Amino acid sequence: MPDIGYLIAAVTVCTVITWSLRALPFAVLAPLRTSTTVEYLSRHMPVGVMVILAGYTLRDITTAQLAVTGPALVATLALHLWRRNAVLSVLTGTALHVALTTLLAHT
């Protein structure tokens, strides 16, 4: 059995490391709240991510797939331009795409 001093030291080191790792995100986030770069990214990244995802999704599309993907894409874009709500437009576009895929695959 290890010495009691060794056990106390081991528990103390583990406690300090655990508390430090839990406090680290809060210490790092504090200066970022007033950062102009983070503010800029929070405004422009959602659009950039959507463009990248749309490009990735549409890069290998065939003409046959366009019958399903086209209306869903147009509906998603129109809904997003109308409501300016990314969650609403993505969920609606996804639901429409799944519904069209299901309907056209079984006909």
Side-chain angles (χ1 to χ4, degrees):
M1 174 112 181
D3 183 34
I4 191 74
Y6 177 80
L7 292 175
I8 291 173
V11 169
T12 303
V13 168
C14 290
T15 302
V16 168
I17 290 173
T18 300
W19 279 88
S20 299
L21 288 174
R22 289 178 183 251
L24 184 66
F26 297 103
V28 170
L29 287 177
L32 292 178
R33 291 191 177 134
T34 59
S35 171
T36 56
T37 304
V38 172
E39 182 183 337
Y40 174 82
L41 289 174
S42 70
R43 272 196 318 259
H44 297 289
M45 277 303 288
V47 174
V49 169
M50 292 299 288
V51 168
I52 290 169
L53 286 173
Y56 179 77
T57 302
L58 299 174
R59 69 177 186 195
D60 294 328
I61 194 165
T62 64
T63 309
Q65 294 169 329
L66 197 58
V68 172
T69 306
L73 182 64
V74 170
T76 302
L77 183 62
L79 185 60
H80 185 71
L81 291 175
W82 176 49
R83 300 297 293 183
R84 300 276 184 207
N85 186 336
V87 174
L88 176 67
S89 57
V90 168
L91 288 177
T92 304
T94 302
L96 181 61
H97 186 271
V98 169
L100 287 174
T101 302
T102 303
L103 289 173
L104 293 178
H106 295 297
T107 57

